[in-house]
Amino acid sequence: QAVVTQESSLTVSPGGTVTLTCGSSTGAVTSSHYPYWFQQKPGQAPRTLIFDTTKKHSWTPARFSGSLLGGKAALTLSGAQPEDEADYYCLLSYTGAWLFGGGTKLTVL
Amino acid sequence: EVQLVQSGAEVKKPGATVKISCKVSGDTFSGYYMHWVQQAPGKGLEWMGLIDPEDGETIYAENFQGRVTITADTSTNTAYMEVSSLRSEDTAVYYCSTGAETSHGLSLLGYWGQGTLVTVSS
């Protein structure tokens, strides 16, 4: 079974920019993995931010963007706000089945 | 507005079976796959499996194959996830998630239920 890897924790200053990445043990992450990104705050259900690598929901703040970067999926936060402090998870598709990454704890400090 | 409403918290003994429901309102139930996700206390999200409510076809994650059964009832717009032979490691919050149409296309896991806490304890 593949393993999906994320940074365990990252810190960004208010107003700063940070990139979270999502890699696959099977090789490069491509658009065929249909990368998703979710935000989860304590005690809440996950919220979908990005789907199909780059696409946003109507509720996704404009400061979040998705891309492929160096063989990984990436979530970039430009202009971090205190309310962006949360856990972030990526999800990749493997021919029908899906796998989450271990999550990144993002601190805005 | 689409809503996924899950059944309430459960407390079960080891070896028992639990069945959680997820009722969809506000949209076409059978048009989108329903996913189930586990989150153990203090841990990350783990994808368990999905069902196509239209034909009942399922796909399970390797870790959950054999002990988890996902079903759907299109007459009541409700999906179910059953875990048998419960053990303490199954203590977790379980979420359902389904598709959402957006201006950019279909997001397969766009809407989420509120989560159901299952506690396994003797």
Side-chain angles (χ1 to χ4, degrees):
Chain A
Q1 177 170 258
V3 175
V4 178
T5 55
Q6 297 183 244
E7 299 85 0
S8 57
S9 64
L10 289 170
T11 300
V12 61
S13 300
T17 297
V18 64
T19 297
L20 289 65
T21 67
C22 176
S24 172
S25 63
T26 61
V29 174
T30 70
S31 58
S32 297
H33 289 96
Y34 304 101
Y36 279 67
W37 289 94
F38 306 92
Q39 178 192 64
Q40 188 181 35
K41 296 181 179 179
Q44 296 184 16
R47 181 173 74 145
T48 309
L49 294 177
I50 300 288
F51 66 100
D52 291 357
T53 309
T54 62
K55 299 173 182 176
K56 299 181 185 182
H57 281 267
S58 58
W59 54 74
T60 305
R63 58 186 180 273
F64 289 96
S65 62
S67 65
L68 294 176
L69 202 63
K72 296 183 178 183
L75 176 71
T76 299
L77 170 58
S78 304
Q81 301 297 310
E83 60 265 29
D84 299 327
E85 185 161 297
D87 294 326
Y88 292 83
Y89 296 92
C90 67
L91 177 70
L92 301 179
S93 171
Y94 292 87
T95 55
W98 296 77
L99 278 177
F100 279 101
T104 297
K105 184 175 185 61
L106 182 66
T107 300
V108 181
L109 191 61
Chain B
E1 183 191 349
V2 177
Q3 280 197 310
L4 278 64
V5 179
Q6 298 185 224
S7 49
E10 303 261 13
V11 179
K12 295 289 185 181
K13 293 194 182 306
T17 295
V18 69
K19 191 170 184 177
I20 300 166
S21 67
C22 172
K23 185 172 175 61
V24 179
S25 61
D27 205 344
T28 306
F29 173 70
S30 58
Y32 310 109
Y33 294 170
M34 182 68 76
H35 298 252
W36 288 90
V37 174
Q38 180 195 62
Q39 187 169 37
K43 302 295 185 184
L45 303 175
E46 187 162 5
W47 185 82
M48 301 176 71
L50 63 81
I51 187 166
D52 179 351
E54 206 152 81
D55 60 12
E57 187 170 329
T58 53
I59 300 174
Y60 296 101
E62 277 184 31
N63 290 350
F64 296 97
Q65 189 86 39
R67 270 199 320 126
V68 170
T69 304
I70 299 172
T71 56
D73 182 346
T74 54
S75 69
T76 60
N77 286 0
T78 303
Y80 299 91
M81 195 280 297
E82 181 178 278
V83 185
S84 60
S85 303
L86 285 165
R87 36 204 193 221
S88 58
E89 309 90 89
D90 297 317
T91 293
V93 176
Y94 293 87
Y95 295 100
C96 57
S97 176
T98 194
E101 294 286 353
T102 79
S103 57
H104 301 293
L106 174 61
S107 173
L108 295 174
L109 291 93
Y111 296 118
W112 289 76
Q114 83 276 20
T116 297
L117 174 62
V118 174
T119 303
V120 183
S121 174
S122 53

